[in-house]
Amino acid sequence: MLYPCDGVSTERLVALAAYHPGPAYIRTSRPKTAVIYPNEEAFTVGGSKVLRESANDAATVVGAGVTVFEALKAYDQLKATGTTIRVIDLYSVAPVDRDTLIRAGLATGGRLITVEDHYVDGGIGDAVAAAVAEAGFTVHRLAVREIPRSGKPEELLDRYGISAAHIAEAVRTVTNAKPLVASR
């Protein structure tokens, strides 16, 4: 399953899917989004992109599609208060980039948060949790937990608890907890 977030990633992932042996599933978003990748950016099936990172990240936030932009907004909000987070665009959900997720978990004290515009079951949260389980990490999941409704994208992101404000609050919640593993 491929999950592009902007025009460049959409174009690249459609091309990858076209030449992928076997079935491929691409999930795109409706809202107009900014372009975050340069035209020459390369993507691979089973890959991800670390969009923000520092040596002092308090948590890792993993998003895909429209939630990548919410994670980037949360990054800006938190950075303004002195907290940095690692932001990962998990554009390939199946297969998932296990190595990058485990490295991020180790670097951020096991504090992993997924955010998705999907139900909690069977989505990014499940894929990430399965990928990092052997490393002993638990994943905090922000996802749609009620029947979807119609509305403006910003209103819906907030209603379902997957907006930048909700991500920032989840980061504050998990960082007040004791780290699951020591940072390396």
Side-chain angles (χ1 to χ4, degrees):
M1 178 164 137
L2 303 173
Y3 208 155
C5 67
D6 73 353
V8 172
S9 62
T10 300
E11 180 181 334
R12 300 295 181 276
L13 294 174
V14 166
L16 282 174
Y19 293 101
H20 180 71
Y25 173 80
I26 299 175
R27 183 169 185 220
T28 59
S29 300
R30 286 187 298 153
K32 185 176 181 176
T33 57
V35 175
I36 60 173
Y37 292 111
N39 286 331
E40 57 279 350
E41 189 75 25
F43 294 83
T44 59
V45 173
S48 67
K49 300 283 184 184
V50 178
L51 301 177
R52 301 287 186 275
E53 98 182 282
S54 77
N56 301 314
D57 292 331
T60 297
V61 176
V62 181
V66 69
T67 61
V68 169
F69 296 97
E70 294 303 307
L72 292 171
K73 287 180 201 172
Y75 170 89
D76 291 338
Q77 291 173 9
L78 290 163
K79 187 174 181 186
T81 66
T83 301
T84 59
I85 59 171
R86 189 159 303 199
V87 177
I88 296 177
D89 175 5
L90 192 69
Y91 66 81
S92 181
V93 179
V96 70
D97 185 356
R98 181 180 183 276
D99 294 341
T100 296
L101 294 169
I102 289 175
R103 277 194 306 275
L106 288 169
T108 59
R111 296 179 204 95
L112 295 163
I113 301 167
T114 58
V115 57
E116 59 189 306
D117 63 336
H118 183 279
Y119 286 114
V120 70
D121 298 319
I124 294 167
D126 282 354
V128 172
V132 302
E134 288 181 21
F137 300 134
T138 301
V139 177
H140 183 86
R141 302 172 197 198
L142 300 179
V144 176
R145 296 178 188 269
E146 64 179 87
I147 301 293
R149 302 182 190 280
S150 296
K152 294 177 183 173
E154 301 81 27
E155 293 170 349
L156 295 174
L157 290 166
D158 194 54
R159 177 187 179 108
Y160 298 122
I162 58 175
S163 67
H166 285 93
I167 295 167
E169 184 56 34
V171 168
R172 286 189 281 277
T173 298
V174 301
T175 56
N176 286 334
K178 182 180 175 186
L180 299 176
V181 295
S183 297
R184 291 184 182 181

